[in-house]
Amino acid sequence: VSMSVSGFLYDRRFNDWDEERLGARLSFGYRITPDLSISAGITGQRVDMTGYDPNTAVQPLKDVYGKSSLFSGELALVHDTRDSPIQASQGHFFEANFQQSFGDFSYPRFELEFRRYWLVAERADGSGKQTFSFSTRAAYSGTDTPIYENFFAGGYATIRGFEFRGASPVLGPNNTEVGGRFQWLNTLEY
């Protein structure tokens, strides 16, 4: 059984807006088997969107200008057989996550992630591991999702070879990166 309490303050500067988030999270987890666990949590946050003119911005940014409150309840199921959570070379990781947000915006959010690792070669002493891996991530968020909660891709953590958030739908004459409510990312790595 686990319990986690955390607080956060983010002050971010993106290409099209500035975002400040102040919030807290409380979650509880239970390990069903050594590889399978379930968790439930609640998060509350205050989001302040600035750094753009709300009169000339694209509609998704007009909808969120200023401060908004966002709360969410979350359930997650994780099956993890990796030999290491940091530098895995064998096993798999699967997570199914459902979140319901409410407050100034109300929407559901589903996320599925699967990663598989195969050890191709290693030295006799266990060093110099060569690993092949596959991952897929699919997610969907409801129609009332604010732009700051949309899915964005680009950068080392999602799609390498693109700038951070560079693989995103854009709107308006300024090509405002608006993200999307659906995401499906796949990778193969050696």
Side-chain angles (χ1 to χ4, degrees):
V1 175
S2 66
M3 181 182 97
S4 172
V5 178
S6 62
F8 55 88
L9 171 63
Y10 297 118
D11 189 9
R12 298 176 175 145
R13 307 286 182 241
F14 296 115
N15 290 338
D16 301 306
W17 68 79
D18 298 338
E19 175 185 309
E20 184 178 288
R21 294 182 186 225
L22 174 64
R25 178 169 171 29
L26 171 67
S27 67
F28 295 92
Y30 180 73
R31 181 174 278 179
I32 299 166
T33 70
D35 299 333
L36 184 65
S37 61
I38 190 167
S39 64
I42 188 159
T43 302
Q45 57 185 315
R46 183 82 161 161
V47 181
D48 189 8
M49 296 285 287
T50 58
Y52 59 93
D53 182 356
N55 298 316
T56 60
V58 296
Q59 191 61 46
L61 280 176
K62 289 180 184 181
D63 295 342
V64 297
Y65 187 78
K67 293 182 180 359
S68 59
S69 297
L70 191 62
F71 302 93
S72 60
E74 175 184 350
L75 286 172
L77 180 70
V78 174
H79 191 254
D80 188 355
T81 64
R82 297 173 296 174
D83 58 349
S84 169
I86 298 170
Q87 194 80 24
S89 60
Q90 293 180 3
H92 72 266
F93 175 86
F94 172 78
E95 180 176 12
N97 187 310
F98 171 74
Q99 194 175 49
Q100 177 63 51
S101 294
F102 53 95
D104 291 332
F105 301 94
S106 181
Y107 58 93
R109 185 178 188 102
F110 303 93
E111 296 183 62
L112 292 172
E113 181 176 5
F114 178 74
R115 289 181 264 158
R116 179 72 171 110
Y117 302 88
W118 294 273
L119 180 62
V120 176
E122 69 179 325
R123 295 188 186 118
D125 65 357
S127 66
K129 292 182 178 182
Q130 297 179 36
T131 305
F132 179 76
S133 67
F134 162 76
S135 73
T136 186
R137 186 182 330 169
Y140 170 79
S141 194
T143 55
D144 195 29
T145 303
I147 188 173
Y148 56 79
E149 287 292 303
N150 278 349
F151 299 107
F152 293 86
Y156 75 92
T158 55
I159 301 178
R160 296 177 192 201
F162 285 85
E163 290 183 7
F164 176 70
R165 292 188 167 194
S168 167
V170 295
L171 283 179
N174 296 332
N175 291 329
T176 302
E177 296 165 346
V178 295
R181 294 184 300 112
F182 176 74
Q183 170 179 275
W184 186 31
L185 301 172
N186 297 282
T187 61
L188 294 172
E189 293 185 3
Y190 178 77

